[in-house]
Amino acid sequence: MPTVQAHDLSCAGRVVARYVWDPHLPATVSPRPYLHPVTTLGGLTVTGFMPADHLHHLGASIAVPVLNEANFWGGRTYVAGHGSVHLDNHGRQRHARWLHRSGDRLHQELDWLDRDGHALAHESRGLSAHHLDGTAWLLRVDFTLTSATGGTLTLDSPAARGRTGAGYGGFFWRAPDGDHRISAETGTGIDAVHGRAARWLSVEGGGWTLVFLTDTISPDPWFVRCDDYAGVCSALAWERLVVPAGGALTRRLSVLVADGTPTDEALTAAEEAHR
């Protein structure tokens, strides 16, 4: 089997995230680059990878349930009137070239291919690690999607196709199993956060905290689960999203990764680094 290609991101003198940019995975998980493990500065792992309940959850990754009828999420595809169905429509994200590659920053170009290997979209992706204080660091994620064919890009989620509440798709983070506390500027608990737009969202787990930061002007809704599993997604297509021909879809997100509860100084530094 070919060797998996990966790059380690470092912060404050230690590796804090492994970015697997050329994975070798089954087609049914919609192969794509992913971050796993991601750790706190103290060494606690804060991502889950291919858990038995959802084999297509790959740590932290950019994934879309349907883009121009190709499944870039993995698993089943939701079909209106039929529910979630196993279809032979899985795409994959393929590394094209590096524009920058160093210990704390990556800039990559990728192609989003359908099941037959035809390019549907091109992506420019940036990842960077920023030191905040002795207990926290920040992962910043920037990406831009454009059409590879010159036509429109249509992004769908099960929610957009009629499955209430299932608006996932975008930058998705599978957290480790356990007890979690969810909060955002809209309130505390799933009901106050799920499906709502908020500039920040916090997940507290066993000895660690993640604080997700997103667009300060027009944030996407959050998809959040913490009952059967822990997952957070800044949802691109809670409703169907169409990128017109010649247009581009651009997002910037950041994740503060802390041991325990982040300090006020770390939160302030995270906001500055996110800009």
Side-chain angles (χ1 to χ4, degrees):
M1 179 179 291
T3 302
V4 168
Q5 299 294 314
H7 181 92
D8 289 337
L9 281 172
S10 297
C11 183
R14 64 159 294 146
V15 173
V16 290
R18 186 173 191 247
Y19 181 60
V20 181
W21 55 271
D22 184 20
H24 301 287
L25 296 167
T28 52
V29 303
S30 297
R32 57 194 182 272
Y34 61 85
L35 289 152
H36 179 78
V38 179
T39 71
T40 66
L41 290 176
L44 295 176
T45 297
V46 292
T47 46
F49 179 73
M50 295 189 75
D53 54 29
H54 291 80
L55 291 175
H56 50 282
H57 288 181
L58 309 180
S61 69
I62 297 169
V64 176
V66 178
L67 184 147
N68 288 17
E69 299 306 319
N71 180 336
F72 288 95
W73 181 265
R76 295 173 293 180
T77 300
Y78 188 83
V79 179
H82 298 277
S84 296
V85 181
H86 288 287
L87 298 179
D88 185 18
N89 67 337
H90 294 92
R92 61 189 177 99
Q93 297 171 20
R94 183 180 66 188
H95 169 79
R97 64 171 179 151
W98 293 109
L99 299 179
H100 179 87
R101 192 176 177 188
S102 61
D104 62 355
R105 185 169 69 90
L106 301 173
H107 189 187
Q108 178 188 29
E109 291 184 345
L110 305 101
D111 296 319
W112 290 44
L113 311 177
D114 67 12
R115 63 179 294 276
D116 297 317
H118 301 131
L120 300 179
H122 298 309
E123 182 193 349
S124 173
R125 178 180 302 182
L127 302 170
S128 57
H130 305 262
H131 182 247
L132 300 178
D133 68 8
T135 62
W137 67 281
L138 188 83
L139 171 71
R140 200 173 86 173
V141 181
D142 300 85
F143 64 94
T144 298
L145 278 175
T146 56
S147 173
T149 66
T152 59
L153 292 177
T154 301
L155 289 78
D156 255 333
S157 68
R161 295 182 166 203
R163 183 182 168 194
T164 303
Y168 52 82
F171 181 66
F172 177 75
W173 190 293
R174 173 66 189 249
D177 294 336
D179 295 327
H180 304 87
R181 183 176 184 271
I182 307 293
S183 59
E185 60 183 347
T186 50
T188 299
I190 293 294
D191 291 342
V193 176
H194 182 68
R196 298 175 183 267
R199 294 170 299 169
W200 62 267
L201 181 149
S202 173
V203 181
E204 296 179 43
W208 52 263
T209 302
L210 304 174
V211 180
F212 295 80
L213 305 173
T214 186
D215 195 321
T216 58
I217 299 174
S218 182
D220 293 313
W222 293 102
F223 171 88
V224 185
R225 295 283 287 273
C226 71
D227 45 7
D228 52 344
Y229 70 84
V232 174
C233 181
S234 181
L236 292 174
W238 200 280
E239 299 179 352
R240 181 169 292 114
L241 175 63
V242 177
V243 181
L249 170 65
T250 298
R251 292 292 189 272
R252 170 177 292 173
L253 304 103
S254 296
V255 187
L256 180 156
V257 181
D259 287 291
T261 301
T263 64
D264 290 341
E265 291 77 11
L267 291 169
T268 299
E271 292 177 356
E272 289 294 327
H274 175 65
R275 292 175 186 157

